[in-house]
Amino acid sequence: MAETTNTPVAILGLGAMGQALAATLLKAGRTTSVWNRTPGKDADLVAAGALGAATVSDAISVGGPIITVLFDHASVHATLDPVADQLAGRQLINLTTTAPEEARELARWAAEHDIAYLDGGIMAVPPMIGQPGASILYSGSQTVFDTHRETLELLASAEYFGDDAGFASTYDFALLAAMYAMFGGFLHGAAMMRSVGVPAAEFAQRAAAWLTAMTQTLPLQGQAIDAADYTGVFIQPIAFHKAALDAINRASRDAGVTLDFVAPLKNLLDRQVADGHGPLAFERTFEELH
Ligand code: FVH
């Protein structure tokens, strides 16, 4: 049965993200109970109408879905294990960042305790919650997702990816891996530009425009990878990129910048050229990653 606008929500964990989630629910007029391990973090939320709870038991006694937004997998168990019996028959939505196998373990633990489990990967930072652009990826119990979809949409756009509780987390980490590689490349570029007196903030403007333009090629890259067809060289072949990475390495050394970010990619390209894949498209590098 779908929830009503009167369905209460319990938020366990009032770090930066938990506070943003709770504040957004309160703004939407939802009854929200809140708990945090260290007392005192609920002051602003209580002033805004939240039900401050001194214990996890008190927080979940309000009814409705329980949202955990804690530091890590271990802190979810530390918080929920002592109240597992009280959670029987309830619906748990875990927005704590957990590795896929940890999410699957939590789903098994939940099933053993008759708890319906939905896992979520938050693709947003706290100020984005409740704003356009924020998204949360979900997998696990479809019943929980369908029942509380309206509430979840208050927080961020909500998308469901099936009953494998580890799927959303895999997607989350795959997107983060792409993001971190990009951020690392940006830091490397900023270090190179500092050697010629350009401030990082100035470089950032140009890098943002360049990277935005380059991301337009991603759909084509995805198609090449899925087809495992690396003969249509729509950007440049591996040999071209190897030469570019060699030059970037030399330029970086000359600028006194370490090769920590660029060396792994250069090594992958070197290996492929040595193995005779130089004429193939850059995307063939994907095949080296398994
Ligand atoms: N903040 C962000 O930008 C990211 C965006 C993507 C998703 N993440 C994940 O969300 C989880 C919570 O993140 P957060 O930003 O709220 O994190 P903190 O501000 O560090 O707050 C952590 C809360 O966890 C509580 N906690 C820690 N250990 C335990 C424990 N053993 N038992 C019970 N609670 C615990 C901590 O409580 P306290 O230190 O105040 O007592 C905070 O409430 C996280 O998975 C991100 O990866 C956010």
Side-chain angles (χ1 to χ4, degrees):
M1 198 174 71
E3 65 188 349
T4 69
T5 49
N6 294 327
T7 304
V9 181
I11 303 267
L12 306 181
L14 298 178
M17 186 53 82
Q19 298 213 21
L21 297 173
T24 302
L25 293 175
L26 288 166
K27 220 177 280 169
R30 303 299 297 272
T31 301
T32 308
S33 76
V34 294
W35 170 87
N36 193 64
R37 176 182 63 173
T38 305
K41 286 196 179 174
D42 63 358
D44 289 349
L45 295 167
V46 169
L51 307 170
T55 65
V56 176
S57 281
D58 286 348
I60 65 176
S61 69
V62 71
I66 296 144
I67 297 181
T68 43
V69 56
L70 298 158
F71 183 64
D72 60 6
H73 175 251
S75 53
V76 176
H77 269 302
T79 302
L80 298 183
D81 285 358
V83 296
D85 290 346
Q86 286 169 256
L87 291 170
R90 300 288 298 275
Q91 297 186 319
L92 173 63
I93 301 168
N94 179 34
L95 299 185
T96 307
T97 301
T98 46
E101 282 310 317
E102 293 170 342
R104 293 180 183 116
E105 186 281 328
L106 279 165
R108 287 192 297 275
W109 173 89
E112 281 162 21
H113 293 89
D114 188 28
I115 304 162
Y117 182 84
L118 182 67
D119 199 87
I122 304 177
M123 308 312 302
V125 292
M128 290 168 68
I129 295 300
Q131 306 296 322
S135 99
I136 304 183
L137 315 176
Y138 293 96
S139 64
S141 165
Q142 176 145 26
T143 304
V144 178
F145 182 79
D146 290 344
T147 306
H148 299 294
R149 182 164 198 161
E150 204 181 305
T151 297
L152 301 177
E153 293 277 5
L154 293 172
L155 306 173
S157 74
E159 206 174 342
Y160 177 73
F161 289 94
D163 61 6
D164 171 10
F167 188 97
S169 166
T170 306
Y171 224 140
D172 182 358
F173 284 120
L175 290 167
L176 289 179
M179 179 195 78
Y180 279 120
M182 181 186 72
F183 284 172
F186 167 69
L187 296 179
H188 186 93
M192 291 180 75
M193 291 313 292
R194 174 168 285 187
S195 76
V196 289
V198 174
E202 186 183 323
F203 172 64
Q205 300 289 333
R206 212 172 284 270
W210 169 245
L211 292 172
T212 301
M214 285 297 96
T215 56
Q216 304 309 304
T217 66
L218 289 179
L220 280 176
Q221 296 189 41
Q223 284 170 23
I225 291 166
D226 287 342
D229 178 1
Y230 307 114
T231 53
V233 179
F234 49 82
I235 304 180
Q236 296 288 355
I238 291 170
F240 171 91
H241 291 289
K242 174 189 158 26
L245 262 294
D246 287 344
I248 291 170
N249 266 18
R250 289 195 301 277
S252 301
R253 264 199 215 99
D254 292 348
V257 177
T258 73
L259 304 180
D260 292 304
F261 282 124
V262 294
L265 180 56
K266 176 177 152 41
N267 291 342
L268 280 168
L269 298 183
D270 286 349
R271 196 160 75 219
Q272 292 181 91
V273 169
D275 290 346
H277 302 304
L280 297 179
F282 176 79
E283 292 67 39
R284 197 223 160 258
T285 307
F286 173 82
E287 303 295 340
E288 298 286 310
L289 301 180
H290 293 92

